[in-house]
Amino acid sequence: MRQLINALIKYKNTLLYTVLLMISLLFLNLRSFYHQSVFSNAALVLSSNINLAGQNISNYLDLASRNEKLIAENIKLKGLELILFSEQAQKDQAINSFAFQVLGARIIKNNYQSARNYLIIDQGYLDGIEKEMGVISSDGIVGIVNQITANFSSVISILHRDIKINASFKKNGAYGSLSWQGNHPKRMKLDDISTINPVVVGDTIVTGGMSDYFPHGIPIGKVLNFKKPKLEGYYDIDIELFSNLTQKEFVYILKNKKKDQLNQLKNESR
Amino acid sequence: MNRDNIVSVFQFFLLLFLQSFLLNMINLFGFINPNLYLLYIIVYRLDSNPTLLIILGFFMGLLLDLLTQGSGGHTIATLTIAFLRPSIIKFSFGVNYDVPMGMIKGSLLSQRLLYLLLMVMIHHLVLYSVIYFSFNNTITILKNTLFTSFFTFIMVYISLGLFKEK
């Protein structure tokens, strides 16, 4: 008890200050609407955060029963899906006749700062990935599979200085090769378009069918500006990509089912 | 009740009324009101009871807020500076400050200036922080603190000279 009193005496100034500060804050709260609103706002933020934490904990403890509910719902939906599939057999035939098979993957690592960029995706040869498959995203092309392991693959990004992609104009099919200059992740250059073809700013560029990697007609970008040489020759065209490769998360891998035939044909005609 | 206490009470009310009815009407450049009442806490005897000063500072600010329809900024600022005063004195004059008079004759000019500046700046910083009470107004708070401190400092310095004449 004596120690308590001694402590009180020792810190009496601080205690007095604290008490008087509380009184002045009350006074402030009473007299000023602005301060009142700030205080009540702070109290609201505090209480809502505490409530949120409590909510999260109770949600977590509730997970098991929720999981059971979800499984039950999934079983029901799976049954419905199977019924739908049996009705859809005809549509599947159309998909099968398309020369490319589509596989999905998630980007694990995406690089776009250096001059030669690679991506890593979470599918490997166990999932049916092979070398030299084309990789596209929902709004453009991404690259070509370079190396594969059991569960992962590395993809040469189109943002790679040494890669050239066959691309053509959507309006007239004039084709050239698309390459990256290494500066801006949305700018590429289209070469080898002869000046006999008309070019307008804003023309859409799609993949050309000359490569084995991509089917014809995937939109890549549009013409940003172009330079015509003084004499006849080839245009110098800047392309702006539709897709932003710096913020991709999911990609699709195109498996060319008829690649064997193509290679055989190429070798024979050599 | 000895003479010192009477003088102290007289000072308290003189500065309080001077501040609330004259100095708060100045509005130099639209926003500068020098807070001379801080002089009371500055010249409060160094060897007197610091607990009493906290209570006096609280009432000084409270009365000032009531008289000027203030929101409560003066109360908190004056209370805080009264509480911090022993630390500021230790910081400015060193540990051995057992000299009875308000402003120490023997101390260096730089020590006195440091003491005055710290008192004035901290008081004004707390005052304007409480009045504006928002991070969006940080620039305004700093600007007001700087300019008003400057004028308060000048007035306090001149007043100290006047007291010395007596």
Side-chain angles (χ1 to χ4, degrees):
Chain A
M1 194 63 197
R2 178 178 287 275
Q3 278 177 344
L4 186 69
I5 290 169
N6 280 345
L8 280 180
I9 288 171
K10 194 177 172 191
Y11 293 113
K12 65 174 191 278
N13 284 352
T14 315
L15 278 174
L16 182 69
Y17 173 69
T18 317
V19 169
L20 288 179
L21 189 66
M22 289 300 146
I23 295 174
S24 12
L25 285 176
L26 278 178
F27 180 66
L28 188 69
N29 188 25
L30 204 68
R31 277 175 77 90
S32 160
F33 282 115
Y34 171 69
H35 291 89
Q36 208 171 340
S37 72
V38 172
F39 287 139
S40 58
N41 200 6
L44 186 68
V45 168
L46 190 69
S47 66
S48 56
N49 275 329
I50 291 170
N51 284 344
L52 187 68
Q55 188 84 38
N56 284 341
I57 291 169
S58 63
N59 276 351
Y60 182 75
L61 296 177
D62 212 25
L63 275 181
S65 69
R66 269 171 207 231
N67 233 351
E68 279 169 18
K69 277 185 201 160
L70 280 176
I71 288 169
E73 196 172 337
N74 265 348
I75 290 167
K76 208 171 83 185
L77 287 174
K78 193 77 190 171
L80 287 174
E81 193 195 7
L82 286 177
I83 296 170
L84 266 179
F85 265 142
S86 60
E87 290 170 358
Q88 248 186 354
Q90 291 171 335
K91 284 181 191 169
D92 286 349
Q93 280 181 353
I95 292 172
N96 284 334
S97 67
F98 181 56
F100 290 89
Q101 187 192 343
V102 182
L103 306 162
R106 215 175 113 90
I107 295 179
I108 292 176
K109 184 175 173 297
N110 189 359
N111 190 9
Y112 46 83
Q113 287 95 348
S114 49
R116 293 172 177 81
N117 295 301
Y118 294 88
L119 297 89
I120 294 175
I121 56 174
D122 67 345
Q123 304 271 303
Y125 61 75
L126 291 183
D127 307 291
I129 309 286
E130 289 163 22
K131 281 189 183 180
E132 304 203 338
M133 286 178 155
V135 180
I136 61 171
S137 66
S138 52
D139 54 0
I141 57 173
V142 173
I144 295 160
V145 175
N146 177 36
Q147 287 180 330
I148 45 176
T149 64
N151 291 313
F152 300 103
S153 319
S154 91
V155 177
I156 304 181
S157 173
I158 53 168
L159 303 182
H160 188 293
R161 290 186 63 151
D162 303 337
I163 197 174
K164 281 198 161 54
I165 291 150
N166 182 267
S168 67
F169 278 85
K170 193 180 181 183
K171 60 178 182 183
N172 54 19
Y175 63 85
S177 64
L178 196 64
S179 59
W180 190 53
Q181 304 300 304
N183 337 320
H184 193 287
K186 277 196 90 164
R187 302 278 152 74
M188 292 185 82
K189 224 170 191 54
L190 184 60
D191 298 315
D192 303 343
I193 300 282
S194 171
T195 47
I196 55 171
N197 297 301
V199 175
V200 182
V201 170
D203 280 350
T204 306
I205 307 294
V206 297
T207 50
M210 302 269 171
S211 74
D212 312 337
Y213 309 125
F214 302 108
H216 177 263
I218 298 175
I220 298 174
K222 60 174 193 269
V223 175
L224 195 65
N225 57 50
F226 64 93
K227 261 185 254 163
K228 193 174 177 174
K230 280 177 187 165
L231 303 170
E232 291 296 298
Y234 299 105
Y235 283 111
D236 181 12
I237 305 176
D238 286 327
I239 307 291
E240 188 179 43
L241 298 181
F242 289 134
S243 70
N244 185 352
L245 285 166
T246 62
Q247 50 187 39
K248 285 275 169 283
E249 201 174 348
F250 293 99
V251 291
Y252 305 102
I253 298 126
L254 300 174
K255 183 176 190 173
N256 193 342
K257 285 188 288 190
K258 294 173 183 167
K259 195 166 186 173
D260 296 343
Q261 298 177 31
L262 269 174
N263 284 343
Q264 195 187 347
L265 208 55
K266 276 184 188 170
N267 289 337
E268 279 173 8
S269 56
R270 205 172 264 172
Chain B
M1 211 184 230
N2 58 23
R3 187 173 161 276
D4 275 351
N5 286 346
I6 296 171
V7 169
S8 193
V9 169
F10 179 69
Q11 274 179 345
F12 185 93
F13 285 105
L14 178 72
L15 284 171
L16 180 63
F17 288 118
L18 197 64
Q19 180 68 41
S20 48
F21 297 121
L22 185 67
L23 292 173
N24 269 8
M25 313 287 173
I26 289 181
N27 284 336
L28 188 63
F29 305 129
F31 64 94
I32 297 176
N33 290 321
N35 296 308
L36 188 64
Y37 72 97
L38 197 55
L39 189 65
Y40 182 76
I41 295 171
I42 289 174
V43 302
Y44 185 80
R45 289 167 56 96
L46 291 188
D47 57 345
S48 275
N49 187 355
T51 315
L52 185 65
L53 181 68
I54 293 177
I55 296 170
L56 281 173
F58 174 71
F59 279 106
M60 174 73 111
L62 187 66
L63 288 173
L64 189 63
D65 269 329
L66 289 173
L67 283 172
T68 58
Q69 281 83 43
S71 55
H74 287 293
T75 319
I76 293 177
T78 318
L79 175 66
T80 308
I81 202 69
F83 171 68
L84 290 177
R85 200 181 88 127
S87 320
I88 295 175
I89 288 172
K90 250 180 223 169
F91 180 75
S92 337
F93 295 116
V95 186
N96 305 315
Y97 62 102
D98 49 350
V99 193
M101 265 316 292
M103 284 309 289
I104 309 149
K105 286 233 174 74
S107 65
L108 294 173
L109 181 67
S110 62
Q111 289 179 335
R112 262 179 290 171
L113 285 181
L114 180 65
Y115 169 63
L116 285 183
L117 265 179
L118 277 177
M119 291 289 282
V120 172
M121 291 292 276
I122 294 174
H123 174 265
H124 283 68
L125 189 63
V126 175
L127 174 66
Y128 287 110
S129 304
V130 173
I131 286 178
Y132 287 98
F133 213 68
S134 142
F135 285 115
N136 299 334
N137 289 329
T138 313
I139 300 292
T140 321
I141 292 172
L142 290 180
K143 191 187 76 178
N144 274 337
T145 306
L146 204 65
F147 286 105
T148 317
S149 297
F150 180 67
F151 282 93
T152 307
F153 179 76
I154 289 176
M155 286 201 74
V156 167
Y157 201 75
I158 293 171
S159 314
L160 281 174
L162 288 180
F163 278 129
K164 213 186 271 175
E165 292 278 310
K166 270 193 255 177

